[in-house]
Amino acid sequence: MEGIMFYWICWAFWVYMTFILHKQNTYRLKMSIIVLTVITLSNYHFSVGSFELHASGIFLLVVSYVFYSQEKLGASFYFFICSLIVSIAYVTFHLFEIFDPIWVIFKKEWMMGICFGYLAILLQKTLKGRLLIIVSGTMQGEFLYAYILNKLQFSYSVGAFAYLDVCSLIAALLVGWSLLENAGSIFQNHVHFFEKGKQKSS
């Protein structure tokens, strides 16, 4: 059933940020409000011309653009290029799924999660940057994909639960990867500190 993965991941994020994450973290309150708003808006949708838009997806796109606007011009331009790459890859994946579905060798959500998570890791070094280009890039891809399908006389809901499932899964995989990256640096620091202690005692 579509949406279950989205709700589980979002509620897990919200509980972590609200009750577990250190209160001094500058993004804690902002991210808690964003996640809760996305959950609240997930059941709302409206029509613009021949397109059906879901409020949660539009909200995520607006939020990502707001974060872009807070960056320096050069960084904003690089974010835009990265999000454009993600958009093209997102549309290409969906079009291949329609015209040549045999290459989707396992569950589509997980295949997209792994592929786009890896793409984000290649394009950006920070978790914030990776999440931003995934959210903006995939939502831009949703609009482009809906436009292409509309030209082919097919209807498509932009930012629906199928999209939210994929987007939340990619976000969860990126957060997990970021934890692994940080765990490695913490482990290296502990080893380095231990070795320095042994050298002083000897």
Side-chain angles (χ1 to χ4, degrees), residues 35-186:
V35 171
L36 195 59
T37 304
V38 170
I39 294 172
T40 305
L41 294 175
S42 61
N43 285 312
Y44 295 93
H45 56 88
F46 55 93
S47 297
V48 177
S50 58
F51 298 99
E52 184 181 8
L53 311 177
H54 285 252
S56 51
I58 303 300
F59 173 75
L60 283 172
L61 184 61
V62 171
V63 168
S64 65
Y65 286 163
V66 170
F67 275 104
Y68 283 162
S69 66
Q70 296 173 353
E71 299 290 333
K72 295 180 180 179
L73 184 60
S76 296
F77 181 73
Y78 181 66
F79 274 128
F80 173 74
I81 296 299
C82 291
S83 68
L84 190 61
I85 293 171
V86 173
S87 299
I88 295 170
Y90 186 83
V91 175
T92 303
F93 185 99
H94 279 290
L95 291 177
F96 267 111
E97 182 193 5
I98 292 176
F99 296 113
D100 192 16
I102 194 170
W103 73 280
V104 182
I105 54 178
F106 55 93
K107 196 169 177 62
K108 182 184 75 172
E109 290 82 3
W110 282 96
M111 193 168 176
M112 292 183 72
I114 294 169
C115 291
F116 287 99
Y118 182 64
L119 180 61
I121 290 168
L122 291 177
L123 293 172
Q124 290 286 333
K125 294 182 179 179
T126 65
L127 177 60
K128 176 186 174 183
R130 291 165 183 171
L131 292 175
L132 282 177
I133 65 169
I134 285 299
V135 170
S136 60
T138 53
M139 266 307 295
Q140 290 164 181
E142 281 277 290
F143 279 106
L144 181 55
Y145 183 57
Y147 176 78
I148 294 171
L149 289 187
N150 185 60
K151 290 295 183 181
L152 299 174
Q153 304 300 315
F154 292 107
S155 60
Y156 182 77
S157 296
V158 176
F161 279 115
Y163 163 77
L164 293 175
D165 280 342
V166 171
C167 190
S168 59
L169 176 60
I170 299 171
L173 292 175
L174 288 175
V175 169
W177 181 261
S178 180
L179 290 174
L180 287 175
E181 286 180 326
N182 292 331
S185 63
I186 292 171

Side-chain angles (χ1 to χ4, degrees), residues 189-202:
N189 289 336
H190 277 293
V191 170
H192 183 66
F193 179 78
F194 179 72
E195 288 177 349
K196 285 181 69 176
K198 284 183 67 178
Q199 289 174 358
K200 286 181 179 180
S201 60
S202 58

